[in-house]
Amino acid sequence: MTDFARTRAMFDLPDGVIYLDGNSLGPLPRAAKDRVARAIADEWGQMLITGWNKAGWMDLPARVGDRVGRLIGAAPGTVVMGDTLSIKVYQALASALELRPDRRVILSDTGNFPSDLYMAEGLCRTLGPDYVLKTVAPEAVEDAIDDTVAVLMLTEVDYRTGRKHDMANLIARAHAAGALVVWDLAHSAGAIPVDLAGADTDFAVGCSYKYLNSGPGGPAFIYVAPRLADHVRPALSGWLGHEAPFAFDLDYRPGAGIERMRVGTPPVLQLAALDAALDVWDSVDMSDLRARSLELQGIFIERVEAACPMLSLATPRDPAQRGSQVSFRHTQGYAIMQALIAEGVIGDFRAPDILRFGFTPLYLSPEDVTRAADILCDIMATGRWDRPDYHARSKVT
Amino acid sequence: MTDFARTRAMFDLPDGVIYLDGNSLGPLPRAAKDRVARAIADEWGQMLITGWNKAGWMDLPARVGDRVGRLIGAAPGTVVMGDTLSIKVYQALASALELRPDRRVILSDTGNFPSDLYMAEGLCRTLGPDYVLKTVAPEAVEDAIDDTVAVLMLTEVDYRTGRKHDMANLIARAHAAGALVVWDLAHSAGAIPVDLAGADTDFAVGCSYKYLNSGPGGPAFIYVAPRLADHVRPALSGWLGHEAPFAFDLDYRPGAGIERMRVGTPPVLQLAALDAALDVWDSVDMSDLRARSLELQGIFIERVEAACPMLSLATPRDPAQRGSQVSFRHTQGYAIMQALIAEGVIGDFRAPDILRFGFTPLYLSPEDVTRAADILCDIMATGRWDRPDYHARSKVT
């Protein structure tokens, strides 16, 4: 059994805060502080340029990628870190489209994270007027898969509602129609069990700063199925994806397998933070994590619904259809969330009316969640969210 | 006058090392260590998600971009940080090509950094069979500019030889032919005076981990001329380049001006390191820096040529045609460089035969450079570079 008291002790959390926003930015793992300090003082400071070899910086994207891969059912050598999630979406989509040269449609849903849709839009414009991004409602995706679809691009867990797609089923449907799939695991990696290889995924991408706790702006990851990796021609053909980067050839030749999805110089300090953050996961069993997450979600939903009838559940009631977050709707959601944050319960707000709460067993207990629900319901009962300063919007919501 | 003893004191450099590779990876500015430690402990650790507002993380790419802009002749609001240099090359090229819809040629030279050429290749493939990347010898660029050229893409200072293009002249020639220009300033920013606005550049890109000392994997920058910025349609249309990222609209609408060149979540820890590294530049006058750099280069060239006739100068003899590095050729350059590094003089090797030395007045004195030349010449005179372990290649050269 995973010892969640032990994982809790591996994080630095501010006193008096119940943090229900680890689905947006994970908190600080204690080990990350020292690891980055060492990367700066002992590696960068002392090794200087030789750190690329001596400190293993050049291998970090693949080595750390393997550690992330273990959490998402990906074999060693099939995941590599780098860039941002948006860039990785572009890479995966461009590669997938090139593998289906006779098709022109990217199919996605309106619950996808907007940046994924924007990147697809930009790629379609670059590819030419025949290419289209088609979006349908999340529940209409399955029926919209037909033999015009080149790529099905979905985020497994909806960033607003927490609704989880049935990945294995949709992959089977897409493959039966001759389409490839690109899965965004932003709200899956470290949140729920994922079995990329078992589900026969083609491409997957994700970020590391949410449930994997790599810190603000940590690097993204990309997975390519081993059966495809050597056939992919990267559109973003950067030198570190070259077969021999330090030969400085004038022509691009893709590197072996997943290495070709690297682009430019890796962000060593952010990778060091992620590498340390992944230590927490060494003792975690993903099915224990899932059970604990659903337990925490259940407590929260039950308690809030019992005491706050003015909040309506936006997340599916069936636990099997949920990720690791719970959302409620309220037209005054923004102000309510500001009041909650002011009282030490940090969740976040997503326009137009979503109060979003992430459940992260690594550092949240049933007692934390009970207390958070009670504070929320008290704020609602007393109406103390209705203050002018709570209505004033800040830049980042 | 710039006080270079004062700037030297702002760096942590290992004892006994003369570092002539700041053109590859700048050394550690003392302030960066503390700044990153604060970003981790006080911002990420204590503010958690609220750091995006409270610690100003969301504004870092523009705020730090303005600080870089000051060093390259770019007005506030015309430079933004993010991604890697390769990604920024792709963005600039894609934008430039879209502004010249009736042309199909990217013109570059064989001395350009290979990743720039690779990214252009990948973009041409994505755009379709009509698009071509044409490369000519550096000295043939001027004559190759004609009215088929959509974009002239050059690196101002050659990464191997240190040869510097005449930027203002080539821009004037390109504009006269109706072409746009994309300049890679990887070996210019912080190395030589650059006047982007004065030279009427269209696009410029660069990295921060060389002469700007941001640390391994620090973010890149992109400049777009204000007269173009609102007409550019980003191909890499990520959410943070959206007019209203937190409205989470399903359709992309580019943000105002340079903001639209942002893509995904910015690497806050690497940006914090860069922000601190830029403090060193507050007291530096770029013409003082240039004069000191040429003084250091002159000492090195004279001393090496006098004592090491077997090394042949690869860098132009005319100081006006040089950047801030000096290169020598030798067929055994790799082993010679390993011997030098073993004796505390760190430069680097670039295939097939280039010994490369960066001259960085912020932390190098005439005495350092004299001593480095003497050690190099002694290694050559005694032949002590010719050991089996010095011939064994490591992954990163």
Side-chain angles (χ1 to χ4, degrees):
Chain A
M1 275 298 286
T2 305
D3 180 352
F4 290 112
R6 184 169 171 272
T7 59
R8 169 70 185 78
M10 297 173 86
F11 288 90
D12 254 349
L13 281 160
D15 292 337
V17 162
I18 300 172
Y19 195 57
L20 302 178
D21 209 7
N23 52 325
S24 192
L25 177 70
L28 173 60
R30 288 180 199 280
K33 206 166 15 178
D34 290 343
R35 176 75 178 79
V36 176
R38 278 205 314 276
I40 291 179
D42 303 343
E43 298 178 5
W44 176 16
Q46 292 299 308
M47 298 179 191
L48 298 159
I49 188 67
T50 67
W52 289 108
N53 285 313
K54 279 194 205 159
W57 294 341
M58 198 48 84
D59 299 322
L60 271 175
R63 191 172 66 69
V64 175
D66 282 349
R67 298 188 75 185
V68 170
R70 199 185 66 79
L71 304 175
I72 53 176
T78 62
V79 173
V80 75
M81 310 303 302
D83 305 297
T84 65
L85 177 49
S86 293
I87 295 293
K88 281 343 205 183
V89 166
Y90 190 91
Q91 273 192 308
L93 279 180
S95 298
L97 287 174
E98 203 165 350
L99 291 170
R100 288 292 176 273
D102 53 336
R103 300 188 180 194
R104 295 288 178 272
V105 177
I106 299 171
L107 176 65
S108 190
D109 73 38
T110 54
N112 205 344
F113 189 68
S115 200
D116 294 23
L117 303 177
Y118 303 159
M119 295 304 288
E121 253 186 86
L123 176 61
C124 286
R125 220 181 66 248
T126 302
L127 283 165
D130 294 351
Y131 285 83
V132 291
L133 167 66
K134 181 177 168 186
T135 50
V136 299
E139 55 279 11
V141 167
E142 189 168 340
D143 289 340
I145 299 170
D146 60 30
D147 62 11
T148 67
V149 176
V151 193
L152 175 64
M153 169 185 76
L154 294 171
T155 296
E156 187 184 16
V157 177
D158 188 297
Y159 76 106
R160 288 170 310 188
T161 64
R163 183 261 319 126
K164 185 167 76 69
H165 273 304
D166 182 346
M167 186 191 282
N169 175 49
L170 289 170
I171 292 174
R173 294 291 296 249
H175 285 176
L180 292 167
V181 295
V182 173
W183 286 93
D184 179 340
L185 304 179
H187 294 269
S188 304
I192 58 175
V194 178
D195 182 7
L196 288 182
D200 201 22
T201 311
D202 302 301
F203 296 87
V205 295
C207 61
S208 64
Y209 48 73
K210 296 178 184 290
Y211 295 90
L212 300 179
N213 313 304
S214 70
F221 63 84
I222 187 165
Y223 163 89
V224 182
R227 66 188 149 73
L228 295 177
D230 283 327
H231 305 286
V232 161
R233 296 220 40 186
L236 302 175
S237 37
W239 70 308
L240 290 186
H242 193 281
E243 189 182 35
F246 290 89
F248 299 104
D249 293 331
L250 294 181
D251 296 312
Y252 182 75
R253 295 190 312 277
I258 194 70
E259 285 282 320
R260 67 184 59 186
M261 303 312 267
R262 293 178 65 166
V263 184
T265 305
V268 170
L269 305 185
Q270 309 268 170
L271 279 163
L274 171 56
D275 196 25
L278 291 170
D279 292 350
V280 181
W281 293 95
D282 287 345
S283 66
V284 176
D285 177 276
M286 290 306 290
S287 58
D288 291 348
L289 183 95
R290 176 64 171 167
R292 179 83 156 189
S293 165
L294 290 177
E295 180 195 349
L296 298 176
Q297 293 177 48
I299 294 168
F300 192 75
I301 292 172
E302 188 178 350
R303 218 158 169 101
V304 172
E305 290 203 310
C308 302
M310 59 293 267
L311 294 177
S312 69
L313 186 67
T315 304
R317 219 162 270 287
D318 174 6
Q321 293 179 40
R322 285 192 226 139
S324 199
Q325 73 173 63
V326 167
S327 301
F328 286 94
R329 290 186 196 279
H330 193 285
T331 52
Q332 297 299 322
Y334 184 84
I336 295 165
M337 186 52 73
Q338 301 318 303
L340 253 181
I341 292 171
E343 300 194 23
V345 179
I346 303 182
D348 65 19
F349 170 78
R350 283 292 172 258
D353 60 357
I354 293 271
L355 293 137
R356 196 169 73 149
F357 303 95
F359 294 90
T360 46
L362 297 186
Y363 49 86
L364 281 176
S365 67
E367 296 68 35
D368 293 327
V369 168
T370 301
R371 192 166 148 64
D374 291 350
I375 295 173
L376 170 60
C377 293
D378 196 55
I379 285 171
M380 295 309 297
T382 60
R384 66 179 182 271
W385 55 267
D386 195 10
R387 282 173 27 175
D389 54 330
Y390 293 156
H391 290 278
R393 301 273 172 130
S394 51
K395 183 159 183 173
V396 182
T397 60
Chain B
M1 277 296 287
T2 305
D3 180 352
F4 289 113
R6 183 169 172 272
T7 60
R8 168 69 184 81
M10 297 174 86
F11 288 90
D12 254 348
L13 281 159
D15 292 336
V17 163
I18 301 172
Y19 194 56
L20 303 178
D21 208 9
N23 53 327
S24 191
L25 176 71
L28 172 60
R30 288 180 199 279
K33 206 166 18 179
D34 290 344
R35 177 74 179 80
V36 175
R38 281 205 312 278
I40 291 179
D42 303 346
E43 299 178 3
W44 176 16
Q46 291 300 307
M47 299 178 189
L48 297 160
I49 189 69
T50 68
W52 288 107
N53 285 313
K54 279 193 205 159
W57 295 340
M58 198 49 83
D59 299 322
L60 272 177
R63 191 170 66 68
V64 175
D66 282 349
R67 298 189 75 187
V68 171
R70 199 184 66 78
L71 303 176
I72 53 176
T78 62
V79 173
V80 74
M81 310 303 303
D83 305 297
T84 64
L85 176 50
S86 294
I87 295 294
K88 281 345 206 182
V89 166
Y90 190 91
Q91 274 192 306
L93 278 180
S95 298
L97 287 174
E98 202 164 349
L99 291 170
R100 288 291 175 274
D102 52 337
R103 300 189 181 193
R104 295 287 178 273
V105 176
I106 299 171
L107 177 64
S108 190
D109 72 36
T110 54
N112 205 344
F113 189 67
S115 200
D116 295 22
L117 303 178
Y118 303 159
M119 295 306 287
E121 253 186 85
L123 176 60
C124 286
R125 222 181 64 246
T126 302
L127 284 165
D130 294 350
Y131 285 83
V132 291
L133 166 65
K134 180 177 168 184
T135 50
V136 299
E139 56 279 10
V141 167
E142 189 168 340
D143 289 340
I145 299 170
D146 60 30
D147 63 10
T148 66
V149 176
V151 194
L152 175 64
M153 168 185 77
L154 294 171
T155 296
E156 187 184 16
V157 178
D158 188 298
Y159 75 107
R160 287 171 309 186
T161 64
R163 185 259 321 125
K164 184 167 78 67
H165 273 305
D166 181 348
M167 187 191 281
N169 175 50
L170 289 170
I171 292 175
R173 294 290 298 248
H175 285 177
L180 292 168
V181 294
V182 173
W183 286 94
D184 179 339
L185 304 179
H187 293 269
S188 305
I192 58 175
V194 178
D195 183 8
L196 289 182
D200 201 23
T201 311
D202 303 302
F203 296 87
V205 295
C207 61
S208 64
Y209 48 75
K210 296 179 183 291
Y211 295 90
L212 300 178
N213 314 304
S214 71
F221 63 84
I222 187 166
Y223 163 88
V224 182
R227 65 188 149 74
L228 295 177
D230 282 329
H231 306 285
V232 161
R233 295 218 44 185
L236 302 175
S237 37
W239 71 307
L240 290 185
H242 192 280
E243 189 182 35
F246 291 89
F248 299 105
D249 293 332
L250 293 182
D251 296 312
Y252 182 75
R253 294 190 312 277
I258 194 69
E259 285 282 319
R260 68 185 59 185
M261 302 313 267
R262 294 179 63 165
V263 184
T265 304
V268 171
L269 305 185
Q270 309 269 170
L271 279 162
L274 170 57
D275 196 24
L278 290 170
D279 292 350
V280 181
W281 293 94
D282 287 344
S283 66
V284 175
D285 177 275
M286 289 307 289
S287 57
D288 291 348
L289 184 94
R290 175 64 170 167
R292 178 83 156 188
S293 165
L294 290 177
E295 179 196 350
L296 298 176
Q297 293 176 47
I299 294 170
F300 193 74
I301 292 173
E302 187 179 351
R303 219 161 167 96
V304 171
E305 290 203 312
C308 301
M310 60 293 266
L311 294 177
S312 69
L313 186 67
T315 303
R317 217 162 273 285
D318 174 8
Q321 292 180 40
R322 285 191 225 138
S324 199
Q325 72 174 63
V326 167
S327 301
F328 285 94
R329 291 186 196 279
H330 192 288
T331 52
Q332 296 300 322
Y334 184 83
I336 295 166
M337 186 52 72
Q338 300 318 303
L340 254 180
I341 293 171
E343 300 194 21
V345 179
I346 303 183
D348 65 19
F349 170 78
R350 283 293 172 258
D353 60 357
I354 293 272
L355 291 137
R356 196 169 72 150
F357 303 96
F359 293 90
T360 48
L362 297 186
Y363 48 86
L364 280 177
S365 67
E367 295 69 36
D368 293 328
V369 169
T370 302
R371 192 165 147 65
D374 291 350
I375 294 174
L376 170 60
C377 293
D378 195 55
I379 285 171
M380 296 307 298
T382 60
R384 64 180 183 270
W385 55 267
D386 195 11
R387 282 173 27 175
D389 53 332
Y390 292 155
H391 290 279
R393 303 271 172 131
S394 50
K395 183 160 183 171
V396 182
T397 61

